Amino acid sequence: MQATKNDDEMRMKVREMISGIGTAIFTTIDGHGRLHGRPMRTQKPDEDGVTLWFFTRSDSPKIAELEKDDRVLLGYSDTRSEDYVSIYGRGRVVVDAEKKKALWTEGLRTWLPEGPESPEVGLIAVTIEGAEYWDGISSSLRFAFGYAEALVTGRPDTGGENAKVSFQR
């Protein structure tokens, strides 16, 4: 039986899990009140541990959506390891040329060929308020054991880990 993790350990686990996954479904609320999700690559988080960064086009609809309603939901999924993370928080557009240069990686030119110096390239900071994670059954052997246990006991496998984490202090 695994010992219960404290809040700091769970926050670290969330950050580790999303760094391994990398791409989130970044969900905002559009002008009609509908949820609007799109895949976006998470950049290196701030040292504060509660701010995630995303590059975007400055004329992207998500910019107007965030200005109207700053609530954001980020969904991360790694189906190979059965790891999943859901993060909710507040997003804001950040105009900071130095921060863009510091976070930039050349692979981003695929979507943003202008580079970090361009005013066409924007940054979004998401301040994490809370998260939930599911650290699943990552091996075939563990899955087989869980399946057999469920057949025998009639109860679902409890081999994975699920926790809700507050990032507000």
Side-chain angles (χ1 to χ4, degrees):
M1 179 105 173
Q2 185 176 15
T4 304
K5 291 184 167 130
N6 68 36
D7 287 344
D8 286 334
E9 290 171 327
M10 289 189 298
R11 288 183 200 106
M12 276 189 356
K13 181 162 184 80
V14 166
R15 289 188 291 270
E16 288 169 9
M17 289 174 76
I18 67 171
S19 71
I21 298 170
T23 299
I25 297 298
F26 187 106
T27 304
T28 54
I29 300 171
D30 72 14
H32 301 287
R34 295 179 300 228
L35 298 173
H36 181 194
R38 77 285 283 159
M40 292 185 71
R41 185 87 179 144
T42 308
Q43 304 309 304
K44 183 179 177 186
D46 266 1
E47 290 180 15
D48 67 8
V50 297
T51 306
L52 300 176
W53 293 94
F54 299 86
F55 278 94
T56 188
R57 300 201 68 73
S58 296
D59 61 353
S60 168
K62 75 181 92 40
I63 300 295
E65 292 168 1
L66 288 171
E67 288 170 352
K68 187 170 184 176
D69 189 330
D70 66 351
R71 293 177 292 169
V72 173
L73 179 67
L74 306 171
Y76 294 85
S77 172
D78 183 346
T79 57
R80 285 175 290 155
S81 64
E82 296 291 326
D83 287 345
Y84 307 94
V85 181
S86 175
I87 293 175
Y88 63 92
R90 303 287 174 166
R92 69 187 186 284
V93 177
V94 175
V95 179
D96 182 336
E98 292 305 311
K99 189 69 172 177
K100 285 196 305 185
K101 288 178 187 175
L103 293 172
W104 183 261
T105 60
E106 276 305 302
L108 290 165
R109 284 199 195 273
T110 302
W111 300 278
L112 304 164
E114 303 90 341
E117 297 84 14
S118 173
E120 303 285 323
V121 176
L123 268 182
I124 296 173
V126 173
T127 303
I128 304 171
E129 294 178 345
E132 185 169 6
Y133 67 84
W134 298 262
D135 186 359
I137 303 167
S138 59
S139 72
S140 298
L141 184 59
R142 176 66 218 157
F143 179 81
F145 176 78
Y147 177 77
E149 183 179 38
L151 279 177
V152 171
T153 65
R155 294 185 310 266
D157 177 61
T158 57
E161 180 183 348
N162 170 239
K164 292 182 181 178
V165 186
S166 174
F167 277 72
Q168 298 176 327
R169 297 179 186 200

